[in-house]
């Protein structure tokens, strides 16, 4: 399973809409954690098999994200996953706006989006449209997040 995980400062889109995504958070400092999983199928198509694959990858993202969130919580940092399906935070109260994972990945990693599609699939430089994005946000900074995400990824059998 190919996975790419990276930590970034927030984009202007995240800064502008932060309280709409995570209304209970008080910290103005936030890191954006991007998790890209390589899919077994191109995700720009529709159908039962594509939906099964998205569901499988979503579960893997949530499994990883919950473990990373717990590890960061133990260090005193608030972390939340943005559900790739709904766009809402999983642990915090629902905001007034959904998060656009593809937009943030596009802005931070310069990966193109297919704009004329309902789910806005990404076009990864190596994987094409066989890529599933997931986003976490944390009050921890990159130097705290990186070693923990590497440990959690290793425990989950992911090579990053």
């Amino acid at each position: 399973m190919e996975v790419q995980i990276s930590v970034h400062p927030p984009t202007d889109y995240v800064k502008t809409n932060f309280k709409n995504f995570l209304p209970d958070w008080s910290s103005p400092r936030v890191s954006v954690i991007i998790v890209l999983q390589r899919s077994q199928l191109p995700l720009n198509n529709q159908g039962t098999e594509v939906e099964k694959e998205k569901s499988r990858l979503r579960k893997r993202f949530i499994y990883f994200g919950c473990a990373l969130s717990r590890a960061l919580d133990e260090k005193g940092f608030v972390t939340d996953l943005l559900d790739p399906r709904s766009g809402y935070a999983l642990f915090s109260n629902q905001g007034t706006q959904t998060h656009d994972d593809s937009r943030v990945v596009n802005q931070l990693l310069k990966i193109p989006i297919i704009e004329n599609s309902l789910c806005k699939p990404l076009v990864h430089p190596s994987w094409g449209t066989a890529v599933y994005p997931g986003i976490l946000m944390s009050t921890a900074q990159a130097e705290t997040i990186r070693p923990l995400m590497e440990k959690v990824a290793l425990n989950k059998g992911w090579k990053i």
Side-chain angles (χ1 to χ4, degrees), residues 1-6 34-38 57 60 64 124 127 132 153 157-160:
M1 178 65 158
E2 291 185 64
V3 178
Q4 294 177 350
I5 306 173
S6 55
I34 297 175
V35 178
L36 300 178
Q37 297 179 73
R38 186 173 185 175
L57 294 169
R60 285 177 51 95
F64 169 81
H124 189 278
W127 306 338
Y132 188 84
W158 289 8
K159 292 182 182 181
I160 59 172

Side-chain angles (χ1 to χ4, degrees), residues 2 4 36-45 57 102 105 109-114 119-133:
E2 291 185 64
Q4 294 177 350
L36 300 178
Q37 297 179 73
R38 186 173 185 175
S39 171
Q40 296 174 358
L41 303 167
L43 298 181
N44 60 321
N45 297 320
L57 294 169
S102 293
V105 171
L109 300 179
K110 307 302 181 216
I111 295 177
I113 303 171
I114 298 175
C119 66
K120 295 187 190 173
L122 295 163
V123 184
H124 189 278
S126 301
W127 306 338
T129 58
V131 59
Y132 188 84

Side-chain angles (χ1 to χ4, degrees), residues 121-154:
L122 295 163
V123 184
H124 189 278
S126 301
W127 306 338
T129 58
V131 59
Y132 188 84
I135 302 280
L136 296 94
M137 289 195 198
S138 180
T139 57
Q141 296 303 299
E143 58 273 6
T144 301
I145 296 168
R146 283 190 185 103
L148 291 173
M149 75 182 195
E150 289 171 3
K151 181 179 178 182
V152 170
L154 184 62

Side-chain angles (χ1 to χ4, degrees), residues 8 10-11 13-15 17-18 21-22 25 29-34 61 68-69 72 77-82 89 91-92 99-101 104 134-140 145:
H8 306 270
T11 63
Y13 165 74
V14 170
K15 289 179 195 174
N17 298 293
F18 182 73
F21 307 137
L22 298 162
W25 285 32
R29 292 180 50 161
V30 65
S31 294
V32 175
I33 305 161
I34 297 175
F61 166 70
L68 180 58
S69 182
L72 288 164
F77 298 101
V78 179
T79 304
D80 208 333
L81 294 75
L82 296 161
F91 305 133
S92 304
H99 185 267
D100 186 340
D101 292 354
V104 171
I135 302 280
L136 296 94
M137 289 195 198
S138 180
T139 57
I145 296 168

